[in-house]
Amino acid sequence: MKHIVVDLEMNPVGKEYKEIRRKLNGEIIEIGAVRLNEKFVQEDKFQCYVCPEYGPVKKHITELTGITQDKVNGQHVFAESFRNFVDWIGASETKIYSWSMSDIKQLHKECRLKVPDFDVDWLDTRWVDLQQAFDDRLGLHNSLALKHALGAMGRSFEGAQHSALADAINTSAVLALMQDDEKFRETMRPVLEILAPSAALSDSIGDLFPDLEKLKNNL
C-alpha cells in the first residue's frame, strides 16, 4: 500500500468568463504531492505548475503563493498536468490524503469540465480527509489549520506556506505521526490535557497554544 499526500493551489476564473464561472470558480495552478511507502516514509515527490485557461494569475494569488504568471506560462494546462499526476501515482493500491476536502472538490469540478472522460470515482474510493481524521482523534469539534496542527505537534512549518509541495510535505508529517497511537498521544498530550473537560485553563492555553482557546470554548 502506497500513500499519496497532495495539496493544490488555485487561481480564480476571470470575471469575463461568465459561463465557465457557473461551473468553476477557480483553476488549479500548482499540484504538489509526496509518496510514502507502507512504513509511511517519504520515497518520492511530485510538483508541477499548471497554466490557467481562464484568466491570468491574480495579484493576490501571487502575493499568497509566490506563483507568478511567468511561472505558469508555457506549462501544461490542467488536462495534461492531471494525467501526468495520475500516472505518477501509479496503478498500485494507494490511498490519497489531503488537509480538508477542498482539494478533491476542486478536482471533481475541474475534471468534469476539462477531463470529462476521467472517472472521478477513482479519486473517491482512495481519498482520505486527514484534517477530519486528525480532529476526530483529538475529539475536536472545530477544524485546525495545518500550521496549527503542526504547532500542536511541536513542529514548525517547513518551507513556504501556500506552496503546494511544502504543504504536502508538512501534511505527510502529520500522517506519519498518526500511525503510532502511543507516540501520537504522547506528542499531543499537552493539547489533550488542555482540551479535557476537567483541565484547568487559566495558565495553559494562552501560553501553549493560543489558537486552541477558541476550540475549547466551542466544545
Side-chain angles (χ1 to χ4, degrees):
M1 170 74 74
K2 301 291 184 178
H3 304 274
I4 306 294
V5 182
V6 62
D7 186 76
L8 309 172
E9 299 298 332
M10 274 78 76
N11 184 63
V13 170
K15 292 181 179 179
E16 64 271 28
Y17 297 96
K18 294 181 181 179
E19 290 298 320
I20 297 299
R21 283 168 63 90
R22 292 191 178 98
K23 304 175 184 177
L24 190 68
N25 293 324
E27 296 181 274
I28 294 168
I29 55 173
E30 185 187 10
I31 302 172
V34 294
R35 181 191 294 126
L36 309 179
N37 63 20
E38 63 280 357
K39 296 182 179 179
F40 293 88
V41 175
Q42 181 179 313
E43 64 178 22
D44 200 7
K45 297 183 290 187
F46 179 96
Q47 190 275 338
C48 72
Y49 293 113
V50 183
C51 187
E53 300 169 64
Y54 302 112
V57 177
K58 303 295 189 287
K59 181 179 178 181
H60 73 278
I61 296 299
T62 296
E63 292 172 349
L64 179 68
T65 67
I67 301 173
T68 63
Q69 186 63 39
D70 285 343
K71 285 186 177 180
V72 298
N73 284 339
Q75 302 297 324
H76 295 311
V77 296
F78 174 78
E80 188 166 359
S81 298
F82 180 68
R83 289 191 178 101
N84 289 341
F85 176 55
V86 171
D87 288 344
W88 175 79
I89 291 174
S92 62
E93 187 178 1
T94 58
K95 285 188 177 180
I96 305 173
Y97 306 78
S98 65
W99 198 256
S100 87
M101 293 297 282
S102 60
D103 286 342
I104 190 172
K105 290 177 181 177
Q106 176 67 30
L107 287 172
H108 267 269
K109 292 177 182 179
E110 208 151 347
C111 283
R112 288 189 184 111
L113 181 65
K114 299 178 179 180
V115 198
D117 60 332
F118 179 76
D119 181 9
V120 293
D121 288 342
W122 184 88
L123 292 173
D124 292 335
T125 57
R126 298 165 182 248
W127 208 277
V128 177
D129 181 354
L130 189 63
Q131 183 184 49
Q132 187 63 59
F134 182 86
D135 294 340
D136 290 346
R137 184 78 69 88
L138 288 177
L140 299 177
H141 297 301
N142 293 319
S143 295
L144 279 182
L146 176 59
K147 68 176 182 179
H148 298 150
L150 290 165
M153 291 166 53
R155 293 177 61 101
S156 298
F157 193 97
E158 296 182 17
Q161 293 185 44
H162 303 295
S163 157
L165 181 57
D167 281 356
I169 290 171
N170 283 280
T171 302
S172 71
V174 180
L175 175 62
L177 177 64
M178 291 177 66
Q179 305 315 303
D180 186 331
D181 190 62
E182 183 177 348
K183 185 176 180 180
F184 179 83
R185 295 193 66 82
E186 179 59 28
T187 300
M188 304 304 295
R189 182 171 52 81
V191 179
L192 292 167
E193 289 175 352
I194 289 170
L195 294 174
S198 61
L201 303 178
S202 59
D203 59 354
S204 55
I205 288 180
D207 294 334
L208 289 175
F209 307 110
D211 292 297
L212 294 179
E213 186 169 8
K214 293 180 181 179
L215 294 172
K216 174 63 183 181
N217 292 336
N218 288 318
L219 288 177

